[in-house]
Amino acid sequence: MKISTKGRYGLRILIDLATHDPEKPRLIRDIAKSQQISEKYISRLVIDLRRARLIRSVRGVKGGFHLAKRPDEITLLDILETMEGPISVVDCVRSPEKCKRQALCPARDIWTELNEGIRQLTKKITLDDILNAYRRHDAELGITDYCI
């Protein structure tokens, strides 16, 4: 399993929204500038984040995006599965029909256990945990900005 730019940038978008005033929606161009991601790419990613109800859009002159939930209610699993699809270290874990040998495979139980371990770990980590880790790290270094 490899986390693509979709997963990494989805997390960065949520971090950006979480670190700015929740009363003032963020424009895509502001997120793009602070995260150094193209506006075009962010425009595509926010669609998935909005569909998953992780962010909300506000229309109008003072419109933009903000978190739809508190950071402690958004898990890393929510983010990754929104951006990447269901976590699966190998195809047969999520779709046993893809492998003709799945019933005979001695490694399938190991892959299933590993997959479940990853799911459980990412379910425990919240956006709030990630924000706190970055704040601690940055405070130790005397940095007031962040980048992933």
Side-chain angles (χ1 to χ4, degrees):
M1 181 183 103
K2 182 177 179 180
I3 299 170
S4 71
T5 56
K6 279 183 73 172
R8 295 191 323 268
Y9 289 1
L11 176 59
R12 284 172 54 181
I13 291 166
L14 293 173
I15 289 171
D16 186 273
L17 294 174
T19 56
H20 286 84
D21 184 353
E23 300 301 316
K24 296 180 183 174
R26 295 274 287 163
L27 298 173
I28 286 177
R29 74 170 169 256
D30 296 331
I31 299 168
K33 185 177 179 182
S34 72
Q35 294 301 311
Q36 299 174 334
I37 304 170
S38 80
E39 287 183 43
K40 186 176 181 180
Y41 197 33
I42 290 177
S43 297
R44 292 194 328 234
L45 299 179
V46 296
I47 293 168
D48 292 334
L49 293 168
R50 201 174 79 232
R51 275 191 195 131
R53 296 192 169 122
L54 297 177
I55 65 172
R56 278 187 292 170
S57 59
V58 178
R59 293 180 184 253
V61 176
K62 297 188 182 207
F65 294 92
H66 54 88
L67 294 178
K69 301 177 180 181
R70 295 189 332 253
D72 64 337
E73 297 175 325
I74 299 172
T75 69
L76 184 55
L77 180 64
D78 296 332
I79 300 164
L80 292 176
E81 289 198 332
T82 293
M83 304 312 293
E84 305 282 350
I87 289 177
S88 185
V89 294
V90 291
D91 288 341
C92 69
V93 170
R94 283 295 203 208
S95 306
E97 70 281 355
K98 288 189 176 187
C99 179
K100 295 174 186 172
R101 301 194 68 237
Q102 63 93 13
L104 306 171
C105 181
R108 187 166 190 283
D109 289 343
I110 293 166
W111 300 135
T112 301
E113 188 176 336
L114 176 62
N115 201 78
E116 190 55 31
I118 292 169
R119 287 181 54 77
Q120 290 306 314
L121 177 61
T122 57
K123 192 175 187 176
K124 289 179 188 176
I125 301 169
T126 67
L127 180 58
D128 197 43
D129 296 331
I130 296 166
L131 292 168
N132 289 332
Y134 277 103
R135 288 179 186 128
R136 280 191 308 273
H137 179 264
D138 290 350
E140 290 171 6
L141 297 175
I143 298 171
T144 58
D145 197 5
Y146 68 94
C147 184
I148 297 176

